[in-house]
Amino acid sequence: MSVVTILPSNKTVTVAAGTRLIDAILAAGESIAQKCEGKGECDSCHVFVHDGRKSLSKAQRKENEQLDQIVGVGSKSRLACQAFLGDEDVTVELLGFASGL
């Protein structure tokens, strides 16, 4: 189990290892866009992972290729639909354009 903290709201949710990050965000009651329905083919669920990055599944080629096309990507960037949680706690920041607001 891991605790996912979502910024800027500071909402938290406890989920099992193996849960997709986007599912944890939604379980916490946050809104996040999913234009490609979780296929990793768009940038709508781009988030910054501040803590616990090493606990997440390794980014696969498809995700890295998509991230390469996004303006503002950094070492903390992940597509929430492609990242699976491990056993460590994670802090993730929803970006303004990705929050669906």
Side-chain angles (χ1 to χ4, degrees):
M1 300 294 277
S2 65
V3 175
V4 178
T5 302
I6 302 149
L7 303 175
S9 69
N10 274 330
K11 289 184 181 178
T12 61
V13 64
T14 302
V15 295
T19 301
R20 283 189 321 160
L21 181 56
I22 198 164
D23 294 329
I25 293 167
L26 293 169
E30 290 287 351
S31 176
I32 184 166
Q34 302 179 68
K35 292 179 186 173
C36 71
E37 299 178 357
K39 297 175 187 164
E41 297 173 350
C42 71
D43 62 359
S44 63
C45 68
H46 174 219
V47 297
F48 287 148
V49 181
H50 292 286
D51 296 308
R53 287 190 310 270
K54 292 183 180 181
S55 179
L56 295 176
S57 60
K58 184 177 179 183
Q60 299 299 309
R61 187 169 117 194
K62 182 178 183 177
E63 180 180 2
N64 283 326
E65 288 173 353
Q66 189 62 39
L67 287 170
D68 286 344
Q69 298 177 34
I70 302 171
V71 174
V73 166
S75 62
K76 297 179 180 182
S77 293
R78 288 299 302 264
L79 296 179
C81 72
Q82 299 297 299
F84 290 85
L85 294 158
D87 290 321
E88 295 178 28
D89 295 348
V90 173
T91 300
V92 62
E93 178 182 1
L94 298 182
L95 306 173
F97 63 86
S99 66
L101 299 176

Coordinates of all heavy atoms in Angstrom, one line a residue:
M1 N 0.8 -1.2 0.0 CA 0.0 0.0 0.0 C 0.9 1.2 0.0 O 2.0 1.2 0.6 CB -0.9 0.0 1.2 CG -1.8 -1.2 1.4 SD -3.1 -1.3 0.1 CE -4.3 -0.2 0.8
S2 N 0.4 2.3 -0.7 CA 1.1 3.5 -0.6 C 0.1 4.7 -0.5 O -1.0 4.5 -0.9 CB 2.0 3.7 -1.9 OG 1.2 3.8 -3.1
V3 N 0.6 5.8 0.0 CA -0.2 7.0 0.2 C 0.2 7.9 -0.9 O 1.4 8.2 -1.1 CB 0.0 7.6 1.5 CG1 -0.8 8.9 1.6 CG2 -0.5 6.7 2.7
V4 N -0.8 8.4 -1.7 CA -0.6 9.3 -2.8 C -1.1 10.7 -2.3 O -2.3 10.8 -1.9 CB -1.3 8.9 -4.1 CG1 -1.0 9.9 -5.2 CG2 -0.8 7.5 -4.5
T5 N -0.2 11.6 -2.3 CA -0.6 13.0 -1.9 C -0.6 13.8 -3.2 O 0.3 13.8 -4.0 CB 0.4 13.6 -1.0 OG1 0.5 12.8 0.2 CG2 0.1 15.1 -0.6
I6 N -1.7 14.5 -3.4 CA -1.9 15.3 -4.7 C -1.9 16.8 -4.4 O -2.6 17.3 -3.6 CB -3.3 14.9 -5.3 CG1 -3.3 13.4 -5.5 CG2 -3.5 15.7 -6.6 CD1 -4.6 12.7 -5.5
L7 N -1.0 17.4 -5.1 CA -0.8 18.9 -5.0 C -1.5 19.5 -6.1 O -1.6 19.0 -7.2 CB 0.7 19.3 -5.0 CG 1.5 18.6 -3.9 CD1 3.0 19.0 -4.1 CD2 1.0 19.0 -2.5
P8 N -2.1 20.7 -6.0 CA -1.9 21.6 -4.9 C -3.0 21.4 -3.8 O -2.9 22.1 -2.8 CB -2.1 23.0 -5.5 CG -3.0 22.8 -6.7 CD -2.7 21.4 -7.2
S9 N -3.9 20.5 -4.0 CA -5.0 20.4 -3.0 C -4.6 19.7 -1.7 O -5.4 19.8 -0.7 CB -6.2 19.6 -3.6 OG -5.8 18.2 -3.8
N10 N -3.5 19.0 -1.7 CA -3.1 18.2 -0.5 C -4.0 17.0 -0.2 O -4.0 16.5 1.0 CB -2.8 19.1 0.7 CG -1.4 19.6 0.7 OD1 -0.5 19.0 0.2 ND2 -1.3 20.8 1.3
K11 N -4.9 16.6 -1.1 CA -5.7 15.4 -0.9 C -4.8 14.2 -0.9 O -3.8 14.2 -1.6 CB -6.7 15.3 -2.0 CG -7.8 16.3 -1.9 CD -8.9 16.0 -3.0 CE -10.0 17.1 -3.0 NZ -10.9 16.8 -4.1
T12 N -5.2 13.2 -0.1 CA -4.4 12.0 0.0 C -5.4 10.8 -0.2 O -6.6 10.9 0.0 CB -3.7 11.8 1.3 OG1 -4.6 11.8 2.4 CG2 -2.7 12.9 1.5
V13 N -4.8 9.7 -0.7 CA -5.5 8.5 -0.9 C -4.5 7.3 -0.7 O -3.4 7.4 -1.1 CB -6.2 8.4 -2.3 CG1 -5.2 8.4 -3.4 CG2 -7.1 7.2 -2.4
T14 N -5.0 6.3 -0.1 CA -4.2 5.1 0.1 C -4.6 4.0 -0.9 O -5.8 3.7 -1.0 CB -4.3 4.5 1.5 OG1 -3.9 5.5 2.4 CG2 -3.4 3.3 1.7
V15 N -3.7 3.5 -1.7 CA -4.0 2.5 -2.7 C -3.0 1.4 -2.7 O -1.9 1.5 -2.1 CB -4.0 3.2 -4.1 CG1 -5.1 4.2 -4.3 CG2 -2.7 3.8 -4.4
A16 N -3.4 0.3 -3.3 CA -2.5 -0.9 -3.4 C -1.4 -0.7 -4.4 O -1.6 0.0 -5.4 CB -3.3 -2.1 -3.8
A17 N -0.3 -1.3 -4.2 CA 0.8 -1.3 -5.2 C 0.2 -1.9 -6.5 O -0.6 -2.8 -6.5 CB 2.0 -2.2 -4.7
G18 N 0.7 -1.4 -7.6 CA 0.2 -1.8 -8.9 C -1.0 -1.0 -9.4 O -1.4 -1.2 -10.6
T19 N -1.5 -0.1 -8.6 CA -2.6 0.8 -9.1 C -2.0 1.9 -10.0 O -0.9 2.4 -9.8 CB -3.2 1.5 -7.9 OG1 -3.7 0.6 -7.0 CG2 -4.3 2.5 -8.3
R20 N -2.7 2.2 -11.1 CA -2.2 3.2 -12.0 C -2.3 4.6 -11.2 O -3.3 4.8 -10.5 CB -3.1 3.3 -13.3 CG -2.8 2.3 -14.3 CD -3.5 2.5 -15.6 NE -4.8 3.0 -15.4 CZ -5.5 3.6 -16.4 NH1 -5.0 3.9 -17.6 NH2 -6.7 4.0 -16.2
L21 N -1.4 5.4 -11.5 CA -1.4 6.7 -10.8 C -2.6 7.5 -11.1 O -3.2 8.1 -10.3 CB -0.1 7.5 -11.2 CG 0.1 8.9 -10.6 CD1 0.0 8.8 -9.1 CD2 1.4 9.5 -11.1
I22 N -3.1 7.5 -12.4 CA -4.3 8.2 -12.7 C -5.5 7.7 -11.9 O -6.4 8.5 -11.5 CB -4.6 8.2 -14.2 CG1 -5.5 9.3 -14.6 CG2 -5.0 6.8 -14.7 CD1 -5.6 9.6 -16.1
D23 N -5.6 6.4 -11.7 CA -6.7 5.8 -10.9 C -6.6 6.3 -9.5 O -7.7 6.5 -8.9 CB -6.7 4.3 -11.0 CG -7.0 3.8 -12.4 OD1 -7.7 4.5 -13.2 OD2 -6.5 2.8 -12.8
A24 N -5.4 6.4 -8.9 CA -5.3 6.9 -7.6 C -5.7 8.4 -7.5 O -6.4 8.8 -6.5 CB -3.8 6.8 -7.1
I25 N -5.4 9.2 -8.5 CA -5.8 10.6 -8.5 C -7.3 10.7 -8.6 O -7.9 11.5 -7.8 CB -5.1 11.3 -9.7 CG1 -3.6 11.4 -9.5 CG2 -5.7 12.7 -9.9 CD1 -2.8 11.8 -10.7
L26 N -7.9 9.9 -9.4 CA -9.4 9.9 -9.5 C -10.0 9.4 -8.2 O -11.1 10.0 -7.8 CB -9.8 9.1 -10.7 CG -9.4 9.6 -12.1 CD1 -9.7 8.6 -13.2 CD2 -10.2 10.9 -12.4
A27 N -9.4 8.4 -7.6 CA -10.0 7.9 -6.3 C -9.9 8.9 -5.2 O -10.8 8.9 -4.3 CB -9.2 6.6 -5.9
A28 N -9.0 9.9 -5.3 CA -8.9 10.9 -4.3 C -9.9 12.0 -4.6 O -10.0 13.0 -3.8 CB -7.5 11.5 -4.3
G29 N -10.7 11.9 -5.6 CA -11.7 12.9 -5.9 C -11.2 14.1 -6.8 O -11.9 15.1 -6.9
E30 N -10.0 13.9 -7.4 CA -9.5 15.0 -8.2 C -10.0 14.7 -9.7 O -10.3 13.6 -10.1 CB -8.0 14.9 -8.2 CG -7.4 15.4 -6.9 CD -7.5 16.9 -6.7 OE1 -7.9 17.6 -7.6 OE2 -7.2 17.4 -5.6
S31 N -10.0 15.8 -10.4 CA -10.4 15.8 -11.8 C -9.1 15.8 -12.6 O -8.2 16.7 -12.4 CB -11.3 16.9 -12.2 OG -11.5 17.0 -13.5
I32 N -9.0 14.9 -13.6 CA -7.8 14.9 -14.5 C -8.2 14.5 -15.8 O -9.0 13.5 -16.0 CB -6.6 14.1 -13.9 CG1 -5.4 14.2 -14.8 CG2 -7.0 12.6 -13.7 CD1 -4.1 13.7 -14.1
A33 N -7.8 15.2 -16.9 CA -8.2 14.9 -18.2 C -7.6 13.6 -18.7 O -6.5 13.2 -18.3 CB -7.8 16.0 -19.2
Q34 N -8.4 12.9 -19.6 CA -7.9 11.6 -20.1 C -8.4 11.6 -21.6 O -9.2 10.7 -22.0 CB -8.5 10.4 -19.4 CG -8.2 10.4 -17.9 CD -8.9 9.2 -17.3 OE1 -8.6 8.1 -17.6 NE2 -9.9 9.4 -16.5
K35 N -7.8 12.4 -22.4 CA -8.3 12.6 -23.8 C -8.1 11.3 -24.6 O -8.9 11.0 -25.4 CB -7.5 13.7 -24.5 CG -7.9 15.1 -24.0 CD -7.1 16.1 -24.7 CE -7.4 17.5 -24.1 NZ -6.5 18.5 -24.7
C36 N -7.1 10.5 -24.3 CA -6.8 9.3 -25.0 C -7.3 8.0 -24.3 O -7.0 6.9 -24.7 CB -5.4 9.1 -25.4 SG -4.3 8.7 -24.0
E37 N -8.1 8.2 -23.2 CA -8.6 7.2 -22.4 C -7.6 6.2 -21.8 O -7.7 5.0 -21.8 CB -9.7 6.4 -23.2 CG -10.8 7.3 -23.6 CD -11.9 6.5 -24.5 OE1 -11.7 5.3 -24.8 OE2 -12.9 7.2 -24.8
G38 N -6.4 6.8 -21.4 CA -5.4 6.1 -20.7 C -4.5 5.3 -21.6 O -3.8 4.4 -21.1
K39 N -4.4 5.6 -22.9 CA -3.6 4.8 -23.8 C -2.1 5.4 -23.9 O -1.3 4.9 -24.7 CB -4.2 4.8 -25.2 CG -5.5 4.0 -25.2 CD -6.2 4.1 -26.5 CE -7.6 3.5 -26.4 NZ -8.4 3.8 -27.6
G40 N -1.9 6.5 -23.3 CA -0.6 7.2 -23.4 C -0.3 7.8 -24.7 O 0.8 8.0 -25.1
E41 N -1.4 8.3 -25.4 CA -1.2 8.9 -26.7 C -1.4 10.4 -26.7 O -1.5 11.0 -27.8 CB -2.2 8.2 -27.6 CG -1.9 6.7 -27.8 CD -3.0 6.0 -28.6 OE1 -4.1 6.6 -28.9 OE2 -2.8 4.8 -28.9
C42 N -1.6 11.0 -25.6 CA -1.8 12.4 -25.5 C -1.0 13.0 -24.3 O -0.3 12.2 -23.7 CB -3.3 12.8 -25.4 SG -4.0 12.4 -23.8
D43 N -1.2 14.2 -24.0 CA -0.4 14.8 -22.9 C -1.4 15.3 -21.8 O -0.9 16.0 -20.8 CB 0.4 16.0 -23.4 CG -0.4 17.1 -24.0 OD1 -1.6 17.0 -24.0 OD2 0.2 18.1 -24.4
S44 N -2.6 14.9 -21.8 CA -3.6 15.5 -20.9 C -3.4 15.1 -19.5 O -3.9 15.8 -18.6 CB -5.0 15.2 -21.4 OG -5.3 13.8 -21.4
C45 N -2.8 14.0 -19.2 CA -2.6 13.6 -17.8 C -1.1 13.7 -17.3 O -0.7 13.1 -16.4 CB -3.0 12.1 -17.6 SG -2.0 10.9 -18.4
H46 N -0.4 14.6 -18.0 CA 1.0 15.0 -17.6 C 1.0 15.6 -16.2 O 0.3 16.5 -15.9 CB 1.6 15.9 -18.6 CG 2.9 16.4 -18.3 ND1 3.3 17.7 -18.5 CD2 4.0 15.8 -17.7 CE1 4.5 17.9 -18.1 NE2 5.0 16.8 -17.6
V47 N 1.8 15.0 -15.3 CA 1.9 15.4 -14.0 C 3.4 15.5 -13.6 O 4.2 14.9 -14.3 CB 1.2 14.5 -13.0 CG1 -0.3 14.5 -13.2 CG2 1.8 13.1 -13.0
F48 N 3.7 16.2 -12.5 CA 5.0 16.2 -11.9 C 5.0 15.3 -10.7 O 4.1 15.5 -9.8 CB 5.5 17.6 -11.5 CG 5.8 18.5 -12.7 CD1 5.6 19.8 -12.6 CD2 6.4 18.0 -13.8 CE1 6.0 20.7 -13.6 CE2 6.7 18.8 -14.9 CZ 6.5 20.2 -14.8
V49 N 5.9 14.4 -10.5 CA 6.1 13.5 -9.4 C 7.2 14.1 -8.5 O 8.4 14.0 -8.9 CB 6.3 12.1 -9.8 CG1 6.4 11.2 -8.5 CG2 5.2 11.6 -10.7
H50 N 6.9 14.6 -7.4 CA 7.9 15.3 -6.5 C 8.6 14.3 -5.6 O 9.8 14.4 -5.4 CB 7.2 16.4 -5.7 CG 6.8 17.6 -6.6 ND1 7.7 18.4 -7.1 CD2 5.5 18.0 -7.0 CE1 7.0 19.3 -7.8 NE2 5.7 19.1 -7.7
D51 N 7.9 13.4 -5.0 CA 8.4 12.4 -4.1 C 8.0 11.0 -4.5 O 6.8 10.8 -5.0 CB 8.0 12.7 -2.7 CG 8.6 14.0 -2.2 OD1 9.8 14.2 -2.3 OD2 7.7 14.8 -1.7
G52 N 8.8 10.0 -4.4 CA 8.5 8.6 -4.6 C 8.6 8.2 -6.1 O 8.1 7.2 -6.5
R53 N 9.3 9.0 -6.9 CA 9.5 8.7 -8.3 C 10.1 7.3 -8.6 O 9.6 6.6 -9.5 CB 10.3 9.7 -9.0 CG 9.7 11.0 -9.3 CD 10.5 12.0 -10.2 NE 11.8 12.1 -9.8 CZ 12.3 13.0 -9.0 NH1 11.5 13.9 -8.4 NH2 13.6 13.1 -8.8
K54 N 11.0 6.9 -7.7 CA 11.7 5.6 -7.9 C 10.8 4.4 -7.6 O 11.0 3.3 -8.0 CB 13.0 5.6 -7.1 CG 14.0 6.5 -7.6 CD 15.3 6.4 -6.8 CE 16.3 7.4 -7.4 NZ 17.6 7.3 -6.7
S55 N 9.7 4.7 -6.9 CA 8.7 3.6 -6.6 C 7.8 3.4 -7.7 O 7.2 2.3 -7.8 CB 7.9 4.0 -5.3 OG 7.0 3.0 -5.0
L56 N 7.7 4.3 -8.6 CA 6.8 4.1 -9.8 C 7.4 3.2 -10.8 O 8.6 3.0 -10.9 CB 6.5 5.5 -10.5 CG 5.7 6.5 -9.7 CD1 5.7 7.8 -10.5 CD2 4.4 6.0 -9.3
S57 N 6.5 2.6 -11.6 CA 7.0 1.7 -12.7 C 7.9 2.6 -13.6 O 7.8 3.8 -13.7 CB 5.9 1.2 -13.5 OG 5.1 2.2 -14.1
K58 N 8.9 1.9 -14.3 CA 9.8 2.6 -15.2 C 9.0 3.0 -16.4 O 8.1 2.3 -16.9 CB 10.9 1.6 -15.6 CG 11.9 2.3 -16.5 CD 13.0 1.3 -16.8 CE 14.0 2.1 -17.7 NZ 15.1 1.3 -18.2
A59 N 9.3 4.3 -16.8 CA 8.6 4.8 -18.1 C 9.0 3.9 -19.3 O 10.2 3.7 -19.5 CB 9.0 6.2 -18.3
Q60 N 8.0 3.5 -20.0 CA 8.3 2.7 -21.2 C 8.5 3.6 -22.4 O 8.2 4.8 -22.4 CB 7.1 1.8 -21.5 CG 6.9 0.8 -20.3 CD 8.0 -0.1 -20.1 OE1 8.5 -0.8 -21.0 NE2 8.5 -0.2 -18.8
R61 N 9.0 3.0 -23.5 CA 9.3 3.8 -24.7 C 8.1 4.7 -25.2 O 8.3 5.9 -25.5 CB 9.7 2.9 -25.8 CG 10.3 3.6 -27.0 CD 10.9 2.6 -27.9 NE 10.2 2.6 -29.2 CZ 10.3 1.7 -30.1 NH1 11.2 0.7 -30.0 NH2 9.7 1.8 -31.2
K62 N 6.9 4.1 -25.2 CA 5.8 4.9 -25.7 C 5.6 6.1 -24.8 O 5.3 7.2 -25.4 CB 4.5 4.0 -25.6 CG 3.3 4.6 -26.1 CD 2.1 3.6 -26.0 CE 0.9 4.2 -26.6 NZ -0.2 3.2 -26.6
E63 N 5.7 6.0 -23.5 CA 5.5 7.2 -22.6 C 6.6 8.2 -22.9 O 6.4 9.4 -23.0 CB 5.5 6.7 -21.2 CG 5.3 7.9 -20.2 CD 5.3 7.5 -18.8 OE1 5.5 6.3 -18.4 OE2 5.1 8.4 -17.9
N64 N 7.9 7.7 -23.0 CA 9.0 8.6 -23.2 C 8.8 9.4 -24.5 O 9.1 10.6 -24.6 CB 10.3 7.9 -23.1 CG 10.7 7.6 -21.7 OD1 10.5 8.3 -20.8 ND2 11.4 6.4 -21.6
E65 N 8.4 8.7 -25.5 CA 8.2 9.4 -26.8 C 7.1 10.4 -26.7 O 7.2 11.5 -27.3 CB 7.8 8.3 -27.9 CG 8.9 7.4 -28.3 CD 8.6 6.3 -29.2 OE1 7.3 6.1 -29.5 OE2 9.5 5.6 -29.7
Q66 N 6.0 10.2 -26.0 CA 5.0 11.2 -25.8 C 5.5 12.3 -25.0 O 5.2 13.5 -25.3 CB 3.7 10.5 -25.2 CG 2.5 11.4 -25.1 CD 2.1 11.8 -26.5 OE1 2.1 11.0 -27.5 NE2 1.7 13.0 -26.7
L67 N 6.2 12.1 -23.9 CA 6.8 13.1 -23.1 C 7.7 14.0 -23.8 O 7.7 15.2 -23.6 CB 7.5 12.5 -21.8 CG 6.6 12.0 -20.8 CD1 7.4 11.2 -19.7 CD2 5.7 13.0 -20.1
D68 N 8.5 13.5 -24.8 CA 9.4 14.2 -25.6 C 8.7 15.3 -26.4 O 9.3 16.3 -26.9 CB 10.2 13.3 -26.6 CG 11.3 12.5 -25.8 OD1 11.6 12.9 -24.7 OD2 11.8 11.5 -26.4
Q69 N 7.4 15.1 -26.7 CA 6.6 16.1 -27.5 C 5.9 17.2 -26.7 O 5.3 18.1 -27.2 CB 5.6 15.3 -28.3 CG 6.1 14.3 -29.2 CD 5.1 13.5 -29.9 OE1 4.0 14.0 -30.2 NE2 5.3 12.3 -30.2
I70 N 6.1 17.1 -25.3 CA 5.3 18.1 -24.5 C 6.3 19.2 -24.0 O 7.4 19.0 -23.6 CB 4.8 17.3 -23.2 CG1 3.9 16.2 -23.6 CG2 4.1 18.3 -22.3 CD1 3.5 15.3 -22.4
V71 N 5.8 20.4 -24.1 CA 6.5 21.6 -23.7 C 6.4 21.6 -22.2 O 5.4 21.4 -21.6 CB 5.9 22.9 -24.3 CG1 6.5 24.1 -23.7 CG2 5.9 22.9 -25.8
G72 N 7.6 21.9 -21.5 CA 7.6 22.0 -20.1 C 7.9 20.7 -19.3 O 7.8 20.6 -18.1
V73 N 8.3 19.7 -20.1 CA 8.6 18.4 -19.4 C 9.9 18.5 -18.7 O 10.9 19.2 -19.1 CB 8.7 17.3 -20.5 CG1 9.4 16.0 -20.0 CG2 7.3 17.0 -21.1
G74 N 10.0 17.8 -17.6 CA 11.3 17.8 -16.8 C 11.5 16.4 -16.3 O 10.8 15.5 -16.6
S75 N 12.5 16.3 -15.4 CA 12.8 15.0 -14.8 C 11.7 14.4 -13.9 O 11.7 13.2 -13.7 CB 14.2 15.1 -14.1 OG 14.0 16.0 -13.0
K76 N 10.8 15.3 -13.5 CA 9.7 14.8 -12.6 C 8.5 14.5 -13.4 O 7.5 14.1 -12.8 CB 9.4 15.9 -11.6 CG 10.5 16.3 -10.7 CD 10.1 17.4 -9.7 CE 11.3 17.7 -8.8 NZ 10.9 18.7 -7.8
S77 N 8.5 14.6 -14.7 CA 7.3 14.4 -15.5 C 7.0 13.0 -15.7 O 7.9 12.1 -15.9 CB 7.5 15.0 -16.9 OG 7.6 16.4 -16.8
R78 N 5.7 12.7 -15.7 CA 5.1 11.3 -16.0 C 3.8 11.5 -16.6 O 3.1 12.5 -16.3 CB 5.0 10.5 -14.7 CG 6.3 9.9 -14.1 CD 7.1 9.1 -15.1 NE 6.5 7.9 -15.6 CZ 6.6 6.7 -15.0 NH1 7.3 6.5 -14.0 NH2 6.0 5.6 -15.6
L79 N 3.3 10.6 -17.4 CA 1.9 10.5 -17.8 C 1.2 9.6 -16.7 O 1.6 8.5 -16.5 CB 1.8 9.9 -19.2 CG 2.4 10.6 -20.3 CD1 2.2 9.9 -21.6 CD2 1.9 12.0 -20.4
A80 N 0.3 10.2 -16.0 CA -0.4 9.5 -14.9 C -1.0 8.2 -15.4 O -1.1 7.2 -14.6 CB -1.4 10.4 -14.3
C81 N -1.4 8.1 -16.6 CA -2.1 6.9 -17.1 C -1.1 5.7 -17.4 O -1.5 4.6 -17.5 CB -2.9 7.2 -18.4 SG -1.9 7.5 -19.9
Q82 N 0.2 6.1 -17.4 CA 1.2 5.1 -17.7 C 2.1 4.6 -16.5 O 2.8 3.7 -16.6 CB 2.1 5.6 -18.8 CG 1.4 5.9 -20.1 CD 0.8 4.6 -20.8 OE1 1.5 3.7 -21.1 NE2 -0.5 4.6 -20.9
A83 N 1.9 5.3 -15.4 CA 2.7 5.1 -14.2 C 2.0 4.2 -13.2 O 0.8 4.5 -12.9 CB 3.1 6.4 -13.6
F84 N 2.6 3.1 -12.8 CA 2.0 2.3 -11.8 C 2.7 2.4 -10.5 O 3.9 2.5 -10.5 CB 2.1 0.8 -12.3 CG 1.2 0.5 -13.5 CD1 1.6 0.8 -14.7 CD2 -0.1 0.0 -13.3 CE1 0.8 0.5 -15.8 CE2 -0.9 -0.2 -14.3 CZ -0.5 0.0 -15.6
L85 N 1.9 2.5 -9.4 CA 2.5 2.7 -8.1 C 3.2 1.5 -7.5 O 2.7 0.4 -7.7 CB 1.4 3.2 -7.1 CG 0.8 4.5 -7.5 CD1 -0.6 4.7 -6.9 CD2 1.7 5.6 -7.0
G86 N 4.2 1.7 -6.7 CA 4.9 0.7 -6.0 C 4.4 0.8 -4.5 O 3.3 1.1 -4.2
D87 N 5.3 0.4 -3.6 CA 5.0 0.4 -2.2 C 5.3 1.6 -1.4 O 4.9 1.8 -0.3 CB 5.7 -0.8 -1.5 CG 5.2 -2.1 -2.0 OD1 3.9 -2.2 -2.1 OD2 6.0 -3.1 -2.1
E88 N 6.0 2.6 -2.1 CA 6.4 3.8 -1.4 C 5.3 4.9 -1.6 O 4.6 4.9 -2.6 CB 7.8 4.3 -1.9 CG 8.9 3.4 -1.5 CD 10.2 3.9 -2.1 OE1 10.4 5.1 -2.3 OE2 11.1 3.0 -2.4
D89 N 5.3 5.9 -0.7 CA 4.4 7.0 -0.8 C 4.9 7.9 -1.9 O 6.1 8.0 -2.2 CB 4.4 7.8 0.5 CG 3.7 7.0 1.7 OD1 3.2 5.9 1.4 OD2 3.9 7.4 2.8
V90 N 3.9 8.5 -2.6 CA 4.2 9.4 -3.7 C 3.5 10.7 -3.6 O 2.4 10.8 -3.1 CB 3.7 8.7 -5.0 CG1 3.8 9.6 -6.2 CG2 4.5 7.4 -5.3
T91 N 4.2 11.8 -4.0 CA 3.6 13.1 -4.0 C 3.6 13.6 -5.5 O 4.6 13.6 -6.1 CB 4.4 14.1 -3.1 OG1 4.3 13.7 -1.8 CG2 3.7 15.5 -3.2
V92 N 2.4 13.9 -6.0 CA 2.3 14.3 -7.4 C 1.6 15.6 -7.5 O 0.7 16.0 -6.7 CB 1.5 13.2 -8.1 CG1 0.1 13.0 -7.6 CG2 1.4 13.5 -9.6
E93 N 2.0 16.4 -8.4 CA 1.4 17.7 -8.7 C 0.6 17.7 -10.0 O 1.2 17.4 -11.0 CB 2.5 18.8 -8.8 CG 2.0 20.2 -9.0 CD 3.1 21.2 -9.2 OE1 4.3 20.9 -9.1 OE2 2.7 22.4 -9.4
L94 N -0.6 18.1 -9.8 CA -1.5 18.2 -11.0 C -1.2 19.6 -11.7 O -1.1 20.6 -11.0 CB -3.0 18.2 -10.7 CG -3.5 16.9 -10.0 CD1 -5.0 17.0 -9.8 CD2 -3.1 15.7 -10.9
L95 N -0.9 19.6 -13.0 CA -0.6 20.8 -13.7 C -1.9 21.5 -14.1 O -2.9 20.8 -14.3 CB 0.3 20.5 -14.9 CG 1.6 19.7 -14.5 CD1 2.3 19.3 -15.7 CD2 2.4 20.5 -13.5
G96 N -1.9 22.8 -14.2 CA -3.1 23.5 -14.5 C -3.8 23.0 -15.7 O -5.0 22.8 -15.7
F97 N -3.1 22.7 -16.8 CA -3.7 22.3 -18.1 C -4.1 20.9 -18.0 O -4.9 20.5 -18.8 CB -2.8 22.5 -19.3 CG -1.5 21.7 -19.2 CD1 -1.5 20.5 -19.7 CD2 -0.4 22.3 -18.7 CE1 -0.3 19.7 -19.6 CE2 0.8 21.6 -18.6 CZ 0.8 20.3 -19.1
A98 N -3.6 20.1 -17.0 CA -4.0 18.7 -17.0 C -5.1 18.4 -16.0 O -5.6 17.3 -15.9 CB -2.7 17.9 -16.5
S99 N -5.5 19.4 -15.2 CA -6.5 19.1 -14.2 C -7.9 19.1 -14.7 O -8.8 18.7 -13.9 CB -6.4 20.2 -13.1 OG -6.7 21.4 -13.6
G100 N -8.1 19.4 -16.0 CA -9.4 19.3 -16.5 C -10.3 20.5 -16.1 O -11.5 20.5 -16.2
L101 N -9.7 21.5 -15.5 CA -10.5 22.7 -15.0 C -10.6 23.7 -16.1 O -9.9 23.8 -17.0 CB -9.7 23.3 -13.8 CG -9.6 22.4 -12.6 CD1 -8.8 23.1 -11.5 CD2 -10.9 21.9 -12.1

